[in-house]
Amino acid sequence: MSVQQALIDYSLRLADNANVLGHRFCEWSGKGPMLEEDLALSNLGLDLLGQARSFYSYAAELKGDGCTEDDLAFLRDANEYKNLLLVEMPNGDFAVTMLRHLLFSAYYLPFFVALSQSNDKTLAAIAAKAEREMAYHLRHSAEWVIRLGDGTEDSLKRMQDAIMVLWPYTGEMFESDEIDQQLVDAGVAIDPESLREQWHATINEVFQRAGLVEPESVWMQTGGRTGVHTEHLGFMLAEMQFLQRSYPGAEW
Amino acid sequence: MNLKDTPLWEVFVRSKNGLSHQHVGSLHAVDATMALQNARDVYTRRAEGISLWVVPSNAITASDPVDRGEFFEPTASKVYRHPTFYEIPDEVGHM
Amino acid sequence: MYTQALNDKDPSPAEDTIEDPVLAERFQSRIDQELRIEANDWMPAAYRRTLQRQIAQHAHSEVIGMQPEGNWLTRAPTLKRKAILLAKIQDEAGHGLYLYSAAETLGISREEMESQLLTGKARYSSIFNYPTLNWADMGAIGWLVDGAAIMNQVPLCRCSYGPYARAMVRVCKEESFHQRQGYDIMTQMAKGTAAQKAMAQDALNRTWWPSIMMFGPHDSDSSHSEQSMAWKIKRFSNDDLRQKFINATVPQAEYLGLTIPDPDLKFNEETGNWESGPIDWDEFKQVLAGNGPCNHLRLSTRQRAVAEGEWVREAAAAHAAKQSARATNKEEAA
């Protein structure tokens, strides 16, 4: 695989992650547990949609075939989407959403910090901006996980249930394939394995403060990178892509 | 629980260094940590600030409007405290 | 408008409060001098009650108003439009919050206002009880609904009650992009494919009359206007604002090449006004009374969101209580 192709795929993965997770936050609009939190959830979504646009635009530019960020977001089928399974998991209750975001941002904060030093200037620039956004995402989701874990009996149970639901989707974050390796060697990408320790330390600290227990080793789900998704993604894309699919070629 | 148990906070934003914090509004939050984050998410969505204060509304002691007369009117007559009270001859120039 | 139900009779009898005539006169004279009334100032009970209702209705309208647009958020056709729409809906949550806060300075809690909304006791603007059926509705809402709202909200920035006026200054500043983005969507749709243009016309057809109704009953049928005018809570009459809106909107529709669904609409050379045909006030009353196409959906959606958030709010409060107990214990131990 050419470095160029690897870079396109790499950008698309990052874009898909942000796009799919951003969509999940759109689903929260108007449904937050407090008006104040509704605004907070939208801010998280807006950051992610912004990141998705940057990464898709870069992928489109690298492809150089005249495609746009929207072509990549709205005209690729589920098996072409390369996001982590974690981000397509349904919002569930607020505990699931906040835990999902903790697991995600505890990974993506150190990831973007490292990527901001990438040899690829565009990725480095996007990462430098995303790094600051992700720091706030981590702070916000960690606070909520602690609050809910340390809250009532009911909220503790919901958090612990959420962990059971989501934990099997955390292993995928640390996998790498030839695309990663090729770009790591070129000083462009980040070796996912190198983030494991820091991610784990963050999760550990939050869980401790929240009174939550990390599951013993569980079988990890995988497939996002190769386009083998959960059943949830198809429905999300059916909704997300409806207008672009139904009215091909229209400008919006 | 309901919102009644969620305290009200007053939010102050410093728009840039060199300016003082200004009251911008209020919000509900269970504690200071949440109040600060809510203030960030509610009141600085358009880059309105670089620093935030949140204060529990019930921590503010306000003057009573009934006292407005005795509190504030006495100063109205002390016009000599304002520079415009004094006339400086034009020849002297700016002072 | 967002507070159109105020045009109905005040449900609480006015005679329950006999005001001190000296205070009442001083109050009115401050208003006449264009001085602002602040939270702790003396005010007639009816003034307080009117404002509590008006501001709460306004806040409810912002919060319920998130739903018709939320209906298309997850189907937004481009990432840019999606981000803009999310930001706009978020602004509406913010505006609801500013307004609830303003009402809280009058001694009513947000919880109380919310419970009035959820039990169907409080009203919100009739416009949000109509469905959004195609993407162009996002354009029509911004262009017409926000356009109509701005007509009403700009004068409210000079409302006699300080906290409400200040909230409105903030709202208007933020809202200035809402109408423009709506018109931008309409422009794109109107110059787009035949299918898109049909969507734009369809959205205009459905949104036009409800937008016109937003301004409330004709002045001759509006029972509360006079007192609100004297209190400088309201500065222009329903019909004046409606006329101003129609005059501004007709050329905008023309530019889009869309037809306003009013066969009687005609220009009066003498007055310079676009005169509309008769408004279906029966429909307006039915929608306000809870019988619009989406009243039930809007309210039940809101009820569900509040109910589903209850355990979260409980947990947050419990955590805060534990934290403060821990801090106290630590201090005592030290």
Side-chain angles (χ1 to χ4, degrees):
Chain A
M1 185 183 290
S2 70
V3 173
Q4 177 87 351
Q5 186 55 47
L7 199 50
I8 293 171
D9 289 348
Y10 196 72
S11 303
L12 277 174
R13 287 175 182 177
L14 293 169
D16 289 343
N17 274 335
N19 183 27
V20 168
L21 192 53
H23 187 93
R24 287 289 184 226
F25 280 106
C26 288
E27 293 173 345
W28 267 106
S29 174
K31 303 187 182 78
M34 288 175 71
L35 210 39
E36 284 83 351
E37 185 58 24
D38 216 297
L39 280 110
L41 293 168
S42 295
N43 274 340
L44 302 181
L46 286 167
D47 286 345
L48 290 165
L49 290 176
Q51 291 169 18
R53 293 186 64 190
S54 302
F55 287 123
Y56 280 134
S57 297
Y58 187 41
E61 183 192 319
L62 290 168
K63 277 171 86 86
D65 58 1
C67 76
T68 66
E69 59 176 48
D70 290 321
D71 294 338
L72 294 172
F74 293 91
L75 298 175
R76 282 156 63 241
D77 218 335
N79 63 350
E80 298 167 273
Y81 260 69
K82 300 294 160 61
N83 58 279
L84 299 166
L85 302 181
L86 178 70
V87 298
E88 69 198 52
M89 293 306 283
N91 284 338
D93 62 11
F94 192 65
V96 172
T97 294
M98 280 298 122
L99 179 69
R100 186 185 59 201
H101 210 51
L102 170 69
L103 299 172
F104 179 85
S105 53
Y107 177 91
Y108 272 95
L109 173 58
F111 174 85
F112 283 131
V113 169
L115 191 66
S116 67
Q117 305 302 315
S118 167
N119 286 341
D120 184 285
K121 293 286 164 270
T122 309
L123 286 184
I126 302 171
K129 180 168 180 289
E131 168 196 333
R132 287 188 285 274
E133 293 169 344
M134 219 34 79
Y136 188 77
H137 291 214
L138 176 58
R139 175 196 292 255
H140 192 78
S141 55
E143 286 294 341
W144 269 113
V145 168
I146 292 165
R147 245 177 235 133
L148 298 179
D150 184 52
T152 61
E153 222 171 283
D154 179 33
S155 68
L156 173 62
K157 182 179 178 305
R158 285 170 185 266
M159 273 316 310
Q160 208 61 64
D161 289 349
I163 294 175
M164 295 315 289
V165 171
L166 296 176
W167 199 258
Y169 297 96
T170 55
E172 204 186 10
M173 293 192 285
F174 305 101
E175 291 174 7
S176 52
D177 58 11
E178 56 173 23
I179 293 173
D180 294 286
Q181 262 136 36
Q182 194 176 348
L183 293 178
V184 168
D185 292 343
V188 168
I190 308 310
D191 179 6
E193 190 53 42
S194 69
L195 303 169
R196 190 191 285 270
E197 208 174 309
Q198 193 180 346
W199 178 82
H200 212 246
T202 308
I203 300 299
N204 233 328
E205 193 201 324
V206 174
F207 277 17
Q208 260 183 16
R209 285 180 59 199
L212 294 168
V213 185
E214 186 185 313
E216 305 204 354
S217 72
V218 299
W219 178 255
M220 290 292 174
Q221 300 296 325
T222 183
R225 262 162 219 270
T226 51
V228 180
H229 288 274
T230 66
E231 291 180 349
H232 307 295
L233 186 65
F235 286 98
M236 178 195 282
L237 295 184
E239 189 173 337
M240 179 197 293
Q241 299 179 338
F242 150 67
L243 282 171
Q244 290 273 2
R245 297 279 190 189
S246 301
Y247 303 93
E251 298 268 335
W252 302 93
Chain B
M1 93 122 207
N2 46 47
L3 275 165
K4 219 185 313 183
D5 308 318
T6 314
L8 193 64
W9 300 73
E10 300 302 321
V11 181
F12 300 80
V13 175
R14 184 202 292 284
S15 58
K16 59 178 180 190
N17 268 359
L19 298 178
S20 53
H21 286 75
Q22 289 257 345
H23 182 245
V24 292
S26 49
L27 50 77
H28 287 275
V30 293
D31 55 26
T33 309
M34 190 197 266
L36 211 49
Q37 289 186 23
N38 285 349
R40 180 262 189 194
D41 283 314
V42 172
Y43 288 104
T44 65
R45 282 171 290 129
R46 286 174 166 78
E48 290 94 336
I50 52 149
S51 166
L52 280 168
W53 287 349
V54 288
V55 181
S57 304
N58 62 15
I60 292 176
T61 309
S63 64
D64 191 325
V66 171
D67 297 332
R68 194 179 293 162
E70 60 183 276
F71 263 54
F72 307 112
E73 268 166 36
T75 62
S77 58
K78 300 178 179 62
V79 285
Y80 47 79
R81 305 200 108 161
H82 299 281
T84 45
F85 181 74
Y86 305 93
E87 259 181 48
I88 302 292
D90 285 347
E91 299 79 35
V92 178
H94 179 72
M95 185 179 282
Chain C
M1 195 39 61
Y2 280 18
T3 54
Q4 64 205 174
L6 271 188
N7 296 295
D8 301 344
K9 279 235 169 337
D10 183 343
S12 359
E15 56 272 21
D16 64 354
T17 44
I18 296 158
E19 307 289 2
D20 178 335
V22 178
L23 287 175
E25 204 189 303
R26 197 180 299 160
F27 174 83
Q28 189 60 49
S29 111
R30 286 185 66 192
I31 295 217
D32 294 342
Q33 293 169 59
E34 294 285 338
L35 295 174
R36 294 282 181 274
I37 307 301
E38 292 297 341
N40 295 328
D41 291 347
W42 184 90
M43 62 186 84
Y47 177 84
R48 181 185 300 274
R49 205 168 49 229
T50 300
L51 274 169
Q52 281 177 349
R53 289 177 68 219
Q54 172 163 343
I55 302 172
Q57 279 182 19
H58 198 158
H60 298 330
S61 298
E62 295 283 357
V63 171
I64 295 285
M66 297 166 74
Q67 290 183 39
E69 290 168 302
N71 184 40
W72 278 90
L73 180 56
T74 51
R75 290 178 288 174
T78 70
L79 289 171
K80 186 177 102 184
R81 293 280 184 211
K82 192 169 182 167
I84 293 170
L85 190 58
L86 179 56
K88 177 176 188 284
I89 299 172
Q90 184 198 39
D91 276 351
E92 283 151 16
H95 298 169
L97 198 151
Y98 306 156
L99 287 159
Y100 281 131
S101 301
E104 280 181 284
T105 63
L106 290 159
I108 183 169
S109 69
R110 196 200 292 179
E111 188 230 3
E112 202 177 334
M113 291 182 268
E114 195 165 64
S115 106
Q116 288 173 353
L117 171 68
L118 297 182
T119 55
K121 218 181 126 201
R123 287 187 174 159
Y124 54 87
S125 179
S126 56
I127 189 77
F128 302 120
N129 290 315
Y130 290 88
T132 53
L133 302 178
N134 79 55
W135 171 253
D137 284 36
M138 299 303 99
I141 287 183
W143 172 36
L144 299 173
V145 176
D146 291 315
I150 288 167
M151 292 276 167
N152 184 52
Q153 291 177 341
V154 168
L156 279 175
C157 295
R158 293 185 295 128
C159 161
S160 61
Y161 186 58
Y164 191 22
R166 288 193 290 276
M168 290 318 300
V169 168
R170 219 181 160 77
V171 168
C172 287
K173 213 195 280 176
E174 296 187 356
E175 202 137 279
S176 55
F177 100 82
H178 292 186
Q179 190 185 15
R180 280 164 174 251
Q181 70 85 34
Y183 197 70
D184 186 57
I185 291 176
M186 287 311 265
T187 312
Q188 186 74 46
M189 298 294 280
K191 72 169 195 207
T193 64
Q196 284 177 304
K197 189 161 184 189
M199 286 183 217
Q201 183 62 54
D202 174 48
L204 175 57
N205 290 350
R206 284 179 289 103
T207 314
W208 175 255
W209 288 108
S211 304
I212 296 297
M213 291 177 200
M214 280 176 72
F215 294 92
H218 286 308
D219 297 344
S220 48
D221 304 320
S222 179
S223 55
H224 258 64
S225 287
E226 216 168 294
Q227 180 61 75
S228 287
M229 292 267 205
W231 279 334
K232 301 207 159 100
I233 294 174
K234 190 176 177 140
R235 286 180 180 266
F236 297 97
S237 79
N238 294 352
D239 284 330
D240 286 351
L241 288 171
R242 182 171 15 244
Q243 188 60 60
K244 205 172 149 197
F245 172 73
I246 295 174
N247 288 349
T249 309
V250 171
Q252 292 164 358
E254 219 160 83
Y255 173 83
L256 294 173
L258 299 176
T259 311
I260 289 178
D262 178 359
D264 299 325
L265 187 72
K266 58 176 184 297
F267 190 69
N268 182 327
E269 295 282 352
E270 240 166 78
T271 59
N273 287 331
W274 282 95
E275 291 170 353
S276 83
I279 296 170
D280 183 355
W281 293 114
D282 283 341
E283 177 183 320
F284 176 70
K285 281 178 200 145
Q286 287 300 327
V287 175
L288 266 195
N291 300 320
C294 294
N295 292 61
H296 181 74
L297 177 65
R298 300 290 183 246
L299 204 54
S300 61
T301 300
R302 190 71 213 137
Q303 285 164 340
R304 201 171 54 241
V306 172
E308 283 175 359
E310 191 173 344
W311 71 270
V312 179
R313 298 189 296 274
E314 257 168 27
H319 167 71
K322 285 184 192 175
Q323 283 286 82
S324 98
R326 281 180 207 127
T328 317
N329 287 343
K330 220 182 216 172
E331 260 170 47
E332 278 168 6

